[in-house]
Amino acid sequence: MFDLIALCLISILVYTFSRNRRQSSTPPGPRGLPFLGNALQIPKECSWLAFAEWAKIYGPVMHVHVISSSIIVLSSREAISDLLEKKNAMYSDRPVIPMAGELAGFGKYTAMLPYGQRHREGRKLILGTVNARKAPELHAIQEAKAADFVSRLTRNPSEFRPHLRWLLASIVLQITYGINVDSYDDAYVRAVEIVLNDFSEVTAPGAYLVDGLPFLKYIPEWFPGASFKRIAREANERASQLVVNLYKVSREQMDHGAATPSFVADILAYNPSPTPEEEDLYQQVSAQFYGAGSDTTVSSLLSFFLIMAQHPEIQRKAQAEVDAIVGDRLPKCSDCKDMPYLEAVLKEVHRCNPVVPLALPHHVRREDVYAGFRIPAGSTVIANTWAVLHDPALYPRPDEVIPERYLGKPDEHPDLNPDPRDFAFGYGRRVCPGRMLAEDTLFIVAASVLASFNISDAVPLEGETIEYRGGVLSHPDEFTCNITPRRVV
Ligand code: HEM
Ligand SMILES: *[C@@H]1O[C@H](CO)[C@@H](O)[C@H](O)[C@H]1NC(C)=O
């Protein structure tokens, strides 16, 4: 206990001292409380909206501080590109997050690894499966699952949310492990859902004191008020167990000669007798597919259903385009190039409601200077993707859904309406390695749904309006809608 008090005092002293000495040249930002800084001003939900408001006052390079850590928030296309892209060798690290990364163990997965050898290996493995050469194999899986989704939706349209969750879990488990799951109640799907819930719980912004006062991670689990230690330990155990189990099932299928093509099969074909260390890496990288690829895509598809229900005229136009290309058959991934209007609709889905509105936090180890401001060594660097995608100077009338904004002659306004996906999937050497997989899934599901159903009457389950919420990932409030078949499937 006395250690705790002493540590508190020391951090206050160190903090006050360093702040007075250096404050002058860091970028501007909202004035905060002594010691706590801006901790209480940053909302736990939709912080991107608050950051976007502050940026109107303080500019596109902002300094926010939470207890002893500096956060640099970048809110313009230019600032994000200058730092995260042009200086990507410097800005591609990740901050260490005590609760989620260290205690709950999520720090060992590619998306949260520090910039270095193991991170590079993880991305290389993922891109060995998610690439243009492998696309035909992936498309076959995506098309079959989308067709299955359409028939499930026809039988039971009110269950579109669990069907979507099944769909995404089922695509990623098939592609990663060659495991075929039949229903939302499947044991693997349920285990994945629990781990994803654990992840969003432990990454909930501002929920855990230990994230602001990292030394608290050393207090024992039995200590009064230390329930976060138990929450983290249990999440860690569940995640590790799932990662190992899925990999084991996949290997066993292969040992019995029943392997379908998959990420794990690809890796083991290349390296049939991995060392325990390699096996450990393979397990953690495999987990990224469901870890990073399912909730994100589900959320984009929920936005797609919502936008279709709220904009019947856009839906009719997209349906007309799909009908003209596919006739009576079901859509294929290769139809994408013939459906510019649907592609523009999907760009609006990403722009209006980016699923990862602040990307994932980057981190800079060494001090830097930008636009005359000092970026302190050890700062967390956040790109406000939401702010860029709603910047009226880039996207006129940013709050309206206008697919046509991407369809004009490109040379008329070359600087307007850039492809929102170049922001929505993140930046620099941390840019989403699953982008191709995600885009193909969004396309094939959107095209199949439009070919087969009319969507209308989105109504929130609770309250008056359907809002977007979330801490790291943004998703719409639960809603119901009418999904009526347009043809016999
Ligand atoms: C709509 C779907 C998706 C969206 C919007 C999305 C977006 C993002 C964003 C914004 C980041 C952070 C980039 C940064 O820090 O600058 C990211 C990272 C990542 N995504 Fe995705 N993603 C999606 C789907 C997927 C899928 C299907 C996979 C499957 C492989 C995936 C795997 C990853 C991984 C492994 C990372 C970490 C990359 C790193 O730290 O180097 N994502 N994604
Ligand atoms: C779908 O919507 C269109 C346009 O509102 C309408 O003409 C058509 O009858 C609808 N189809 C079904 C099966 O409800």
Side-chain angles (χ1 to χ4, degrees), residues 3-5 7-8 11 35 98 210 212-219:
D3 285 356
L4 267 183
I5 294 168
L7 275 166
C8 276
S11 43
F35 186 60
V210 64
L213 300 171
F215 59 82
L216 291 176
K217 70 186 176 213
Y218 298 114
I219 71 176

Side-chain angles (χ1 to χ4, degrees), residues 94 111 119 123 288 292-293 296 300 362 424-427 430 432-433 438:
R94 294 272 190 233
H119 167 252
R123 287 185 68 96
Q288 289 294 276
T296 44
S300 279
H362 290 230
F425 287 97
Y427 309 98
R430 287 289 183 165
C432 178

Side-chain angles (χ1 to χ4, degrees), residues 141-142 145 166-176 441:
I141 294 172
Q142 289 164 307
K145 297 287 184 187
W166 162 79
L167 173 67
L168 263 299
S170 141
I171 291 176
V172 293
L173 293 178
Q174 187 77 51
I175 286 175
T176 324
T441 300

Side-chain angles (χ1 to χ4, degrees), residues 312 315-316 319 453-455 484-487:
Q315 185 184 158
R316 297 287 93 84
Q319 283 172 327
F453 305 100
N454 278 355
I455 306 164
T484 42
R486 297 175 65 209
R487 60 184 194 180

Side-chain angles (χ1 to χ4, degrees), residues 186-470:
D186 178 277
Y188 292 128
V189 178
R190 277 215 309 270
V192 166
E193 296 279 85
I194 290 171
V195 168
L196 292 175
N197 277 336
D198 284 343
F199 181 74
S200 67
E201 183 166 329
V202 297
T203 53
Y208 298 98
L209 197 56
V210 64
D211 286 336
L213 300 171
F215 59 82
L216 291 176
K217 70 186 176 213
Y218 298 114
I219 71 176
E221 196 175 312
W222 49 262
F223 203 80
S227 63
F228 69 96
K229 292 273 286 200
R230 179 184 47 77
I231 294 172
R233 178 178 50 77
E234 289 174 0
N236 200 338
E237 286 163 4
R238 283 191 286 265
S240 309
Q241 207 174 49
L242 179 62
V243 165
V244 172
N245 281 350
L246 287 169
Y247 181 83
K248 209 168 100 200
V249 171
S250 183
R251 269 217 88 150
E252 278 166 9
Q253 282 187 7
M254 266 172 259
D255 293 344
H256 293 102
T260 46
S262 69
F263 173 72
V264 173
D266 285 351
I267 294 182
L268 293 176
Y270 178 75
N271 180 10
S273 0
T275 63
E277 293 76 40
E278 286 170 333
E279 198 129 69
D280 192 47
L281 174 73
Y282 298 164
Q283 290 171 355
Q284 284 158 11
V285 178
S286 317
Q288 289 294 276
F289 285 75
Y290 62 78
S294 61
D295 266 1
T296 44
T297 318
V298 166
S299 177
S300 279
L301 283 167
L302 287 170
S303 282
F304 168 77
F305 273 86
L306 185 57
I307 286 178
M308 289 301 94
Q310 291 172 337
H311 301 273
E313 68 300 339
I314 295 177
Q315 185 184 158
R316 297 287 93 84
K317 258 178 116 164
Q319 283 172 327
E321 184 183 69
V322 173
D323 291 353
I325 301 294
V326 305
D328 294 334
R329 65 172 172 84
L330 274 177
K332 298 194 293 257
C333 290
S334 58
D335 293 323
C336 181
K337 59 184 185 320
D338 301 318
M339 299 187 184
Y341 187 79
L342 180 52
E343 194 186 15
V345 169
L346 293 173
K347 285 182 184 175
E348 281 295 76
V349 170
H350 283 296
R351 191 190 64 77
C352 296
N353 305 293
V355 172
V356 205
L358 299 175
L360 293 177
H362 290 230
H363 178 265
V364 58
R365 290 179 198 161
R366 284 187 289 121
E367 181 171 307
D368 192 20
V369 173
Y370 178 62
F373 298 121
R374 195 174 59 85
I375 311 290
S379 297
T380 292
V381 182
I382 290 179
N384 193 345
T385 298
W386 189 94
V388 174
L389 295 176
H390 290 79
D391 177 353
L394 274 187
Y395 301 97
R397 291 151 65 199
D399 298 326
E400 292 171 43
V401 183
I402 313 174
E404 288 77 8
R405 65 170 83 240
Y406 307 108
L407 298 171
K409 288 201 199 86
D411 42 331
E412 261 169 41
H413 300 286
D415 292 331
L416 286 187
N417 302 308
D419 188 338
R421 296 171 295 193
D422 293 341
F423 308 102
F425 287 97
Y427 309 98
R429 296 188 193 173
R430 287 289 183 165
V431 71
C432 178
R435 174 171 170 175
M436 194 194 84
L437 187 62
E439 281 186 31
D440 289 343
T441 300
L442 292 178
F443 170 78
I444 191 62
V445 176
S448 308
V449 165
L450 289 169
S452 309
F453 305 100
N454 278 355
I455 306 164
S456 61
D457 305 302
V459 177
L461 274 196
E462 287 167 27
E464 297 289 303
T465 54
I466 303 167
E467 303 291 339
Y468 278 77
R469 278 174 223 285

Side-chain angles (χ1 to χ4, degrees), residues 108-128:
K108 59 179 176 279
Y109 303 103
T110 314
M112 291 179 76
L113 282 175
Y115 187 55
Q117 174 72 16
R118 198 174 169 85
H119 167 252
R120 225 176 358 261
E121 284 167 358
R123 287 185 68 96
K124 205 170 133 199
L125 288 171
I126 294 171
L127 292 168

